[in-house]
């Protein structure tokens, strides 16, 4: 029983230690140099074909998201507002 309690305390301490924010070790000069260089170009994601893709609809993710937002935010007008 004592071993379980000690392991629990150790697990709690380890979780708290791992959850702490990381240390910031870059100097302001290094940050300024990186910002002066400009941002990196975004890389295009390579699409991989998998066997289950044969069963999926040929639908873009942006179309699915757009349809979800249309369905999600419907408002009803009360009878008092119609007058």
């Amino acid at each position: 029983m004592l071993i379980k309690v000690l392991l629990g305390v150790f697990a709690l301490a380890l979780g708290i230690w791992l959850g702490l924010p990381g240390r910031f070790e870059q100097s302001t000069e290094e940050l300024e140099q990186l910002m002066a260089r400009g941002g990196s170009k975004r890389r295009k994601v390579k699409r991989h074909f998998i066997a289950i893709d044969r069963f999926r609809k040929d639908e873009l993710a942006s179309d699915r998201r757009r349809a979800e937002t249309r369905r999600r935010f419907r408002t009803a007008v009360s009878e008092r507002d119609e007058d």
Side-chain angles (χ1 to χ4, degrees):
M1 180 72 173
L2 180 63
I3 292 174
K4 289 182 181 180
V5 171
L6 291 176
L7 284 175
V9 170
F10 174 73
L12 177 66
L14 181 65
I16 291 173
W17 182 69
L18 290 176
L20 291 174
R23 294 185 181 163
F24 190 71
E25 297 178 358
Q26 284 182 319
S27 67
T28 54
E29 292 83 23
E30 289 175 328
L31 288 174
E32 292 294 331
Q33 289 174 357
L34 289 172
M35 292 176 69
R37 262 194 289 169
S40 63
K41 292 183 180 179
R42 295 183 182 254
R43 291 185 282 171
K44 199 170 190 179
V45 176
K46 185 176 181 181
R47 304 286 179 184
H48 296 284
F49 177 78
I50 58 175
I52 201 163
D53 286 340
R54 293 181 188 189
F55 303 109
R56 292 184 181 176
K57 293 181 181 179
D58 293 333
E59 184 179 29
L60 297 174
S62 58
D63 293 338
R64 286 191 306 268
R65 283 191 298 270
R66 193 175 311 116
E68 288 174 7
T69 56
R70 274 189 248 132
R71 279 183 263 137
R72 192 179 310 155
F73 297 107
R74 289 188 182 170
T75 58
V77 178
S78 69
E79 294 177 3
R80 286 185 268 163
D81 291 338
E82 291 178 0
D83 294 332

